[in-house]
Amino acid sequence: MKEVALFIPCLVDQLLPEIGTSVVKIFRKLGVSFVYDPRQTCCGQPLVNAGDRKGASQVAKHFISIFEGSEYIVAPSGSCIYTVKEHYPRLLADEPVWYQRACGVSEKAYEFSQFLVAILGVSDVDTRYEARACLHESCAILRQLGVSDEPKTLLKNVEGLELTPLNDADVCCGFGGEFAVDYPDISEAILKDKANNFKASGADILILGEPGCLLNIRGYMSSNGVNGHVKHIAEILASE
Amino acid sequence: MDSASNREIILDSLKRFAIKPEGPVKSELVKTKIDDLDALYESFAQGVTAAGGTVHRVKDMKEALEALDTILKELEVSTVVISEDKMIKLVGIKDYLKGKDIKILAISKDPARHKKTCFSADAGITGADYALADTGTIMIYHGKDNARLISLAPPTHIAFVEADKLLPDIDTLIAEIKPSNKSMPSAMTLITGPSLTADIALQPTFGMHGPKNLYVIFI
Amino acid sequence: MNLQTERFKEIARENLANEEQRKILSQFSLILKALRDSSFAALPDENAALEKGRKIREDSVKNMPYLLETFEENATKAGANVVWASDARQANDFIVSLAKEKGANLCVKAKSMISEEIGLREELTDGGIETYETDLGEFIVQQAGKTPFHIVGPAINMTIKEISNLFNKTIGVPKTEDPTELAISARMFLRDKFKNAQIGISGANMAVAETGSIILVENEGNIRFATSVPKTHIVLMSIEKVVPTMSDATHMLKLLTRSCTGQRISNYVSVITGPKKAGEIDGPEELYIVILDNGRTKIYSDEVLRGALQCIKCGMCAAVCPVYTHVGGYAYGWVYSGPIGAVLNPLLLGLDRARDLYHATTLCGACKDYCPAGVDVRNIALDLRAKEMDGDKSFNASNPPVGLKRLYRIWTWVLLHHSRYKIASRLMRIIMLPAIKYGKISRLPGRLSGWTQCRDIPQLPPKSFHEIYSELKK
């Protein structure tokens, strides 16, 4: 069995630890040999998005030093994986040695559902979850990583889970990191559409793979009295 | 403004960062392969119709003239302006119309009078040099014998095109005409349907500036 | 053109509140996307076609100076006068004085973004030359004294009633609720202008190096008039419009019209090579091609940013942008709107004057997925943010956010060691305690209040994953 380094993004670590424990549960169930290095902090994505290249490069180096020894790097977040895959080599393009190392980690970084299906060849985690659900395809996973079939495959095989289509499932939820904070009016308008589409779907649970989108949509629904739950795909797959 | 020195400054600063590509962009694009005339025509007619035009498929010159007659009668056209290209001569349109109750406005070599003629005619009749099946497009080389305004200013444009000028698509057209600086006419126009706008509340309206009606007589 | 890029937030808020406009906008985007998708599906291999188009634009931009030289040579051979202008002032002055020299008093214009960019119409009018936009949408916008709402549909946000009232006031036609009647009124009004104009001005969708040709794409026929009737035709094009061959141009044409309006081809495509030739009755006696830089060579010097020059102005990015489809085109405050405007406006105006534009993006990347020319707006926006942070003077980023920078420096320092990170995490929990209400946080202070404007934050879990995992392992 391959050795996997588990990366738990800071949002998950601080605000949504249940996503992390779900991933651990699934890895254990599937017999995945993994390590969780407690020296890890954050991938530096907020710094990249803010334009702080200098800070981001330093954080990238810290990440690379911790993770480069493993065979695979897996995280329950598409945007963090994209940061590692795409931005690290770019950030470190002017430092040949570091550039090589960045390319090294870039090649082995995988989003959680992508890793299960494409690398482990798992399409059924043998689990049960009674609900009517729909899937929000987060931009980082769908567009930046090109991952779309994998989460669908995994969810299709969850017993008791009825997947219903979500209108505009591939349209952004209005998160965008600092965007949600700095342009709340626009973000709210986009979110409202997402919530309305969810309401119209008739589902009682919205599943997604991106912690940022999760906080965004869940926070909106809770604050605006929209019925229904928002859960990370790992939480669904880890039930029973 | 010193154009020459601007030129030098612009090109020099671009050249500092330009990268010559390895060669022309090639790609193994799948080609539409239809060589059967009926299938090509079907696609052409569909394209013209979808764009709001009308096609008449006719067997020969005689039928072409009959089709023209029907159109002119239907639209109650009383004045026409006709181009002088090969196609028009081949079909013998001018002679045919002479006996009819339709006034042919003579083409003037004087630009001002020519303009007046075209702006006042009920219909413009021209040949077309090529037709493209996949989009329902006709292509006109403008030149001495096919002035630009004839197919543009009158509210109706009637174009004649021969079957052997029907090509599958624009790629075939480019391969056929082998464009070069020397071979290009001052203007060539690809026409697909009549003039169209949807700028007001997305409502399609024909005849915005150019012709409201486009008829293609396919021989 | 009235510059409003600094009022982004304010204008966005106003437009968000305009329910009617938002309805039109979402309908417009929905229809356009559906038409676009079905027209692309009709291609034998849509992905290969898109990839080819992106490569053509990338190579064209990379090779731009050499292509421009070839284009100039061939256009000149065909009888055109090629003129080079460095900035808006030069281009405007040249065109206005040329028009005066020709004794012109009436000018008809085709829709051209670059002429909006330099404010050419206003300059001509100020110079005593009556100038009309002849594309219906642009004509409406001109009559209304507004700016284009969308690159392709400049007046799509206006209702029939608004246009009817406008035409009644400006061109004196009776009010009507029938869009066809309104279009006919504009037709009649402009037909007279076409007949009498001495100058026709157009942009260029593409300039073909191989032949020296200009390609113009339209549906209405106004461009055909403007380039056929007046004695002098002036083409105003920016340097990035050039493509190598006619076959490259026609490939781009397929992608352009499909992305613009969802058409397999536009109703009219004009390929213009030089002025009219000897013996031809109509067509312009003289053709001037003004090649304009206006800040683009500077953009060109940056490997990432110059990707913005690959844009063919189809406007598709706007239709799929979650921000544009909510706030509309006015918020972008200048000529270009939607994702491409979010990067092109700051690049052309300087970052200081358009800071909000490249920050107000969710970075979702839908624009890139749909772009037929391979523009990566997401990446360019991130680069602009970095330039702002670094205070890069070459793009007029002279006010780096000092406070933020300091904050990010501390944040970086925290992230560089897990023990600091853990202390910070504990501190955060202590600070956040008072804000927690009924198990969730509904109000955050300062900048972060933007988050809680419409969202809660779940109560901070008592333990982080770090802590849970170290117990789990035991």
Side-chain angles (χ1 to χ4, degrees):
Chain A
M1 200 60 181
K2 311 265 167 80
E3 174 90 348
V4 174
L6 176 61
F7 171 55
I8 295 298
C10 52
L11 274 188
V12 174
D13 180 43
Q14 295 301 315
L15 296 170
L16 306 159
E18 62 277 12
I19 297 175
T21 49
S22 299
V23 173
V24 169
K25 202 170 157 191
I26 295 160
F27 276 0
R28 286 188 176 156
K29 182 173 173 183
L30 295 173
V32 178
S33 150
F34 72 95
V35 289
Y36 173 79
D37 192 320
R39 292 173 303 161
Q40 60 181 271
T41 58
C42 160
C43 67
Q45 183 190 170
L47 296 167
V48 175
N49 289 353
D52 184 0
R53 294 261 156 98
K54 205 173 135 205
S57 309
Q58 289 173 306
V59 176
K61 288 177 183 173
H62 177 251
F63 184 99
I64 292 167
S65 318
I66 291 172
F67 283 94
E68 65 188 338
S70 56
E71 245 179 303
Y72 295 105
I73 304 160
V74 178
S77 157
S79 62
C80 299
I81 290 300
Y82 183 74
T83 301
V84 173
K85 282 188 91 65
E86 284 296 317
H87 288 296
Y88 282 10
R90 239 176 250 162
L91 285 166
L92 301 168
D94 293 335
E95 300 175 63
V97 177
W98 276 106
Y99 175 74
Q100 283 308 319
R101 293 170 71 178
C103 290
V105 299
S106 167
E107 279 165 24
K108 49 193 179 190
Y110 293 90
E111 183 273 330
F112 172 68
S113 70
Q114 180 188 29
F115 179 73
L116 289 195
V117 179
I119 302 299
L120 293 185
V122 172
S123 55
D124 186 349
V125 292
D126 187 24
T127 182
R128 219 188 135 67
Y129 196 101
E130 293 282 349
R132 201 162 173 221
C134 49
L135 177 74
H136 163 67
E137 299 208 56
S138 295
C139 307
I141 298 176
L142 173 72
R143 301 185 189 285
Q144 273 91 60
L145 296 177
V147 172
S148 178
D149 293 340
E150 291 88 335
K152 289 173 191 158
T153 305
L154 290 165
L155 290 173
K156 240 176 253 163
N157 291 317
V158 173
E159 222 187 301
L161 193 71
E162 184 198 341
L163 276 178
T164 65
L166 172 68
N167 190 29
D168 285 342
D170 62 344
V171 173
C172 179
C173 70
F175 176 61
E178 60 173 46
F179 173 83
V181 171
D182 292 340
Y183 302 91
D185 299 319
I186 308 172
S187 182
E188 181 176 356
I190 301 172
L191 255 171
K192 196 174 170 189
D193 284 356
K194 187 57 75 182
N196 285 339
N197 281 323
F198 172 67
K199 277 192 250 177
S201 76
D204 40 43
I205 180 165
L206 182 67
I207 302 173
L208 39 69
E210 192 61 44
C213 308
L214 187 146
L215 281 177
N216 190 41
I217 303 174
R218 186 189 275 173
Y220 178 86
M221 285 173 44
S222 143
S223 168
N224 291 276
V226 180
N227 288 326
H229 300 282
V230 188
K231 283 195 187 282
H232 192 278
I233 183 169
E235 295 178 81
I236 305 296
L237 300 178
S239 55
E240 308 215 13
Chain B
M1 181 182 74
D2 183 352
S3 173
S5 93
N6 289 339
R7 177 185 188 277
E8 205 170 311
I9 293 167
I10 293 170
L11 290 176
D12 281 354
S13 57
L14 291 177
K15 280 177 185 173
R16 282 180 26 224
F17 303 97
I19 305 160
K20 282 215 166 188
E22 288 145 24
V25 177
K26 289 191 192 110
S27 81
E28 305 300 313
L29 285 187
V30 191
K31 292 265 182 279
T32 22
K33 265 197 199 132
I34 323 169
D35 30 29
D36 166 38
L37 180 66
D38 284 331
L40 277 181
Y41 172 77
E42 227 16 80
S43 162
F44 173 72
Q46 231 172 53
V48 176
T49 315
T54 311
V55 199
H56 292 271
R57 189 179 187 180
V58 298
K59 271 205 282 300
D60 50 27
M61 301 307 168
K62 188 171 158 281
E63 277 190 16
L65 290 169
E66 284 164 17
L68 174 67
D69 201 40
T70 315
I71 297 165
L72 295 176
K73 276 196 184 125
E74 194 184 294
L75 296 173
E76 296 171 10
V77 166
S78 55
T79 54
V80 293
V81 54
I82 307 174
S83 69
E84 297 178 312
D85 57 89
K86 271 185 285 177
M87 215 32 234
I88 294 298
K89 287 177 183 151
L90 200 66
V91 187
I93 293 167
K94 285 191 181 169
D95 290 341
Y96 177 76
L97 288 182
K98 267 175 197 159
K100 306 269 165 191
D101 199 13
I102 281 165
K103 194 175 170 201
I104 301 176
L105 304 176
I107 293 206
S108 168
K109 293 284 170 213
D110 171 54
R113 283 181 61 192
H114 166 72
K115 187 159 67 180
K116 221 172 149 189
T117 309
C118 292
F119 270 81
S120 67
D122 293 339
I125 305 173
T126 72
D129 296 277
Y130 287 99
L132 308 180
D134 75 332
T135 47
T137 302
I138 55 171
M139 192 271 255
I140 297 177
Y141 274 125
H142 296 295
K144 277 185 211 169
D145 55 7
N146 203 339
R148 305 180 190 196
L149 287 178
I150 303 173
S151 59
L152 177 64
T156 296
H157 174 207
I158 305 163
F160 289 84
V161 64
E162 274 186 296
D164 64 350
K165 295 293 182 186
L166 179 61
L167 305 175
D169 54 23
I170 201 166
D171 299 318
T172 346
L173 173 74
I174 298 303
E176 174 94 8
I177 66 175
K178 295 188 190 65
S180 74
N181 177 257
K182 282 193 184 127
S183 71
M184 292 303 286
S186 64
M188 72 181 214
T189 310
L190 296 159
I191 299 174
T192 314
S195 157
L196 172 74
T197 189
D199 277 347
I200 297 180
L202 295 178
Q203 306 266 1
T205 300
F206 289 113
M208 181 54 228
H209 292 294
K212 193 178 174 190
N213 310 303
L214 172 72
Y215 291 89
V216 180
I217 299 174
F218 184 85
I219 310 171
Chain C
M1 192 170 172
N2 194 4
L3 188 64
Q4 308 226 38
T5 44
E6 277 151 303
R7 291 182 56 223
F8 178 89
K9 280 189 182 174
E10 196 185 324
I11 303 174
R13 204 171 297 135
E14 281 165 25
N15 283 273
L16 277 169
N18 186 340
E19 286 294 333
E20 189 150 9
Q21 178 176 294
R22 279 183 55 192
K23 237 183 273 163
I24 297 173
L25 200 52
S26 76
Q27 193 197 2
F28 170 73
S29 309
L30 203 72
I31 295 172
L32 189 58
K33 220 174 126 196
L35 289 173
R36 181 257 177 215
D37 288 350
S38 71
S39 68
F40 267 91
L43 287 167
D45 182 346
E46 62 174 300
N47 289 325
L50 270 172
E51 274 320 305
K52 185 179 176 181
R54 289 165 179 164
K55 187 82 173 77
I56 289 173
R57 283 306 296 154
E58 188 190 332
D59 282 3
S60 300
V61 166
K62 276 186 183 163
N63 201 25
M64 198 192 292
Y66 303 99
L67 292 176
L68 283 170
E69 281 177 336
T70 315
F71 171 74
E72 179 188 35
E73 193 190 322
N74 283 321
T76 309
K77 270 191 207 158
N81 299 300
V82 177
V83 175
W84 300 73
S86 291
D87 55 28
R89 182 77 275 137
Q90 286 187 355
N92 282 328
D93 287 351
F94 173 78
I95 293 170
V96 174
S97 61
L98 179 69
K100 281 183 180 166
E101 207 179 283
K102 304 286 169 196
N105 55 29
L106 183 61
C107 166
V108 282
K109 258 193 89 262
K111 184 154 105 66
S112 138
M113 301 308 290
I114 185 73
S115 72
E116 294 277 348
E117 182 182 316
I118 66 170
L120 177 59
R121 189 183 67 228
E122 292 81 353
E123 291 275 335
L124 283 162
T125 310
D126 291 349
I129 297 148
E130 209 180 319
T131 303
Y132 288 94
E133 295 291 348
T134 58
D135 169 83
L136 179 59
E138 285 282 332
F139 178 70
I140 295 168
V141 167
Q142 180 187 10
Q143 296 300 312
K146 290 190 178 181
T147 55
F149 186 74
H150 182 269
I151 291 178
V152 179
I156 49 147
N157 60 317
M158 289 175 74
T159 60
I160 296 175
K161 206 171 203 157
E162 281 175 280
I163 296 167
S164 166
N165 289 337
L166 176 70
F167 279 10
N168 178 261
K169 212 174 74 194
T170 60
I171 59 173
V173 294
K175 291 185 185 179
T176 170
E177 296 279 301
D178 180 1
T180 308
E181 263 179 57
L182 288 170
I184 290 169
S185 306
R187 173 188 164 102
M188 297 322 289
F189 181 85
L190 288 169
R191 213 169 152 80
D192 184 53
K193 309 297 171 198
F194 285 132
K195 216 189 283 183
N196 298 308
Q198 303 92 347
I199 305 274
I201 295 179
S202 76
N205 289 98
M206 280 174 276
V208 185
E210 180 182 46
T211 56
S213 309
I214 292 293
I215 295 186
L216 290 162
V217 176
E218 58 160 340
N219 287 321
E220 296 182 1
N222 62 312
I223 299 186
R224 290 180 67 195
F225 273 115
T227 60
S228 297
V229 184
K231 277 188 175 172
T232 307
H233 172 201
I234 305 171
V235 173
L236 175 65
M237 60 172 264
S238 45
I239 53 172
E240 76 274 17
K241 290 291 172 185
V242 69
V243 294
T245 66
M246 192 60 78
S247 131
D248 292 327
T250 51
H251 183 80
M252 290 319 297
L253 177 69
K254 290 186 211 171
L255 305 183
L256 173 65
T257 59
R258 280 176 167 83
S259 307
C260 237
T261 48
Q263 291 170 289
R264 292 195 197 181
I265 190 167
S266 61
N267 293 43
Y268 300 123
V269 178
S270 299
V271 182
I272 291 167
T273 317
K276 75 173 180 184
K277 293 196 164 82
E280 292 179 16
I281 315 165
D282 51 22
E285 282 165 16
E286 285 185 296
L287 172 67
Y288 286 86
I289 301 175
V290 181
I291 302 179
L292 174 62
D293 176 358
N294 211 27
R296 286 165 177 77
T297 47
K298 195 176 69 190
I299 300 172
Y300 194 78
S301 66
D302 186 292
E303 215 180 311
V304 174
L305 303 182
R306 77 178 179 194
L309 299 178
Q310 288 171 219
C311 174
I312 55 172
K313 309 290 178 310
C314 69
M316 189 63 218
C317 56
V320 297
C321 175
V323 175
Y324 179 91
T325 51
H326 283 92
V327 306
Y330 294 147
Y332 296 85
W334 199 50
V335 192
Y336 306 101
S337 58
I340 189 64
V343 293
L344 205 48
N345 290 350
L347 280 169
L348 292 169
L349 297 167
L351 303 194
D352 284 347
R353 291 162 81 184
R355 184 186 178 275
D356 275 317
L357 272 61
Y358 54 91
H359 281 280
T361 150
T362 68
L363 301 171
C364 77
C367 44
K368 184 189 171 192
D369 282 4
Y370 281 86
C371 180
V375 182
D376 188 347
V377 168
R378 191 181 186 282
N379 235 346
I380 295 170
L382 287 177
D383 256 47
L384 294 182
R385 293 178 187 184
K387 291 213 179 305
E388 176 190 322
M389 193 64 79
D390 296 342
D392 190 330
K393 296 260 187 328
S394 61
F395 286 93
N396 285 11
S398 47
N399 303 308
V402 185
L404 268 184
K405 232 173 141 169
R406 212 166 287 148
L407 182 76
Y408 289 135
R409 200 165 303 152
I410 297 168
W411 192 352
T412 304
W413 179 79
V414 168
L415 294 181
L416 288 179
H417 202 279
H418 63 280
S419 57
R420 296 196 284 261
Y421 171 79
K422 273 166 202 160
I423 292 166
S425 128
R426 271 187 217 123
L427 267 174
M428 188 170 76
R429 268 150 234 269
I430 294 165
I431 294 168
M432 290 281 209
L433 264 173
I436 296 173
K437 191 175 133 196
Y438 313 119
K440 56 194 184 190
I441 301 165
S442 19
R443 191 168 297 162
L444 288 173
R447 183 184 172 200
L448 293 174
S449 65
W451 177 271
T452 43
Q453 178 175 315
C454 71
R455 307 170 198 83
D456 299 328
I457 283 193
Q459 184 176 9
L460 287 185
K463 283 173 187 169
S464 70
F465 177 82
H466 268 97
E467 292 159 328
I468 298 172
Y469 186 74
S470 56
E471 286 163 22
L472 220 63
K473 242 169 67 178
K474 278 170 202 163

